[in-house]
Amino acid sequence: MLKKASITMNKQEDISTKNYLLPNFTNGFPGFRDSINTTMKKVMEGGNEEEEKNGSSVGKKKGEKKVKRPRFAFQTRSQVDILDDGYRWRKYGQKAVKNNKFPRSYYRCTHEGCNVKKQVQRLSKDEGIVVTTYEGIHSHPTEKNSDNFEQILSQMKIYTRS
DNA sequence: CGTTTTTGACCTGCGC
DNA sequence: GCGCAGGTCAAAAACG
């Protein structure tokens, strides 16, 4: 517990986790006020796109399928927890994770039909580090003018394709 | 008054 | 099978 090795991701994530350094990220996100040194991290790839139709709700209760969505992790050095990326998020949960003194917040995109989720967590080891994990790709444009954030997202897709 | 946050309960996967 | 750890729901408070 005392000398925990930093991030302590899940074993499965650790296997398929690859780090990518995007040049643009060095200066941080344009929409993130105090962000510096943002590192992108590919957590999991969701290239295998299963059919998401409803009807074959077998086994599960609500027919909610566990679709493997692409997930991207951002490790940003910032003073604020909530990073404004131009989208509108609704907080739907907060849980305290082990080995971390700071709780993890769960957000979901408020856009109808957009099932993009993200979770924000601050590392207890380095209080200035905020890990933002995106899950899924937005199917709608941003409301505000967040500069080249969308372009960065496009880069994410490209980088995480294979 | 509508939307978002808060917060505990509930659910689920996994290891023992 | 049980308990832990993580993820989600939902009711009520909080906010503009």
Side-chain angles (χ1 to χ4, degrees), chain A residues 11-65:
Chain A
K11 53 282 156 191
Q12 193 163 2
E13 291 182 353
D14 195 7
I15 296 176
S16 62
T17 297
K18 305 179 75 173
N19 295 339
Y20 293 93
L21 252 309
L22 296 186
N24 309 27
F25 284 33
T26 313
N27 297 330
F29 278 88
F32 301 167
R33 291 176 285 275
D34 300 334
S35 62
I36 328 170
N37 286 20
T38 303
T39 305
M40 188 182 106
K41 188 175 294 183
K42 174 188 176 185
V43 177
M44 179 170 60
E45 86 293 340
N48 187 9
E49 208 170 304
E50 301 180 358
E51 35 183 302
E52 201 169 344
K53 81 310 193 259
N54 47 2
S56 70
S57 59
V58 182
K60 287 310 165 189
K61 39 182 182 168
K62 299 174 185 169
E64 187 70 20
K65 239 174 204 232

Side-chain angles (χ1 to χ4, degrees), chain A residues 84-116:
Chain A
D84 186 18
D85 49 7
Y87 290 99
R88 188 161 211 91
W89 301 94
R90 184 186 97 259
K91 188 176 185 178
Y92 69 92
Q94 175 175 322
K95 198 67 174 181
V97 291
K98 218 158 199 276
N99 302 328
N100 269 336
K101 49 184 288 192
F102 295 105
R104 174 184 298 170
S105 301
Y106 300 92
Y107 297 90
R108 178 172 293 178
C109 186
T110 57
H111 191 87
E112 182 185 0
C114 188
N115 293 324
V116 177

Side-chain angles (χ1 to χ4, degrees), chain A residues 64-155:
Chain A
E64 187 70 20
K65 239 174 204 232
K66 286 187 170 51
V67 184
K68 286 182 279 189
R69 302 187 190 85
R71 296 210 304 193
F72 315 99
F74 294 90
Q75 195 164 330
T76 306
R77 179 174 296 276
S78 172
Q79 296 294 331
V80 291
D81 289 324
I82 302 172
L83 276 44
D84 186 18
D85 49 7
Y87 290 99
R88 188 161 211 91
W89 301 94
R90 184 186 97 259
K91 188 176 185 178
Y92 69 92
Q94 175 175 322
K95 198 67 174 181
V97 291
K98 218 158 199 276
N99 302 328
N100 269 336
K101 49 184 288 192
F102 295 105
R104 174 184 298 170
S105 301
Y106 300 92
Y107 297 90
R108 178 172 293 178
C109 186
T110 57
H111 191 87
E112 182 185 0
C114 188
N115 293 324
V116 177
K117 289 180 277 189
K118 84 170 180 180
Q119 54 183 241
V120 179
Q121 182 182 6
R122 184 177 292 273
L123 295 182
S124 60
K125 197 65 178 179
D126 297 328
E127 192 173 340
I129 298 289
V130 174
V131 180
T132 305
T133 304
Y134 285 85
E135 180 173 342
I137 304 297
H138 291 277
S139 58
H140 57 94
T142 54
E143 299 180 354
K144 305 189 293 186
N145 183 16
S146 62
D147 302 340
N148 54 353
F149 183 77
E150 304 184 29
Q151 299 181 3
I152 296 179
L153 287 182
S154 301
Q155 285 192 15

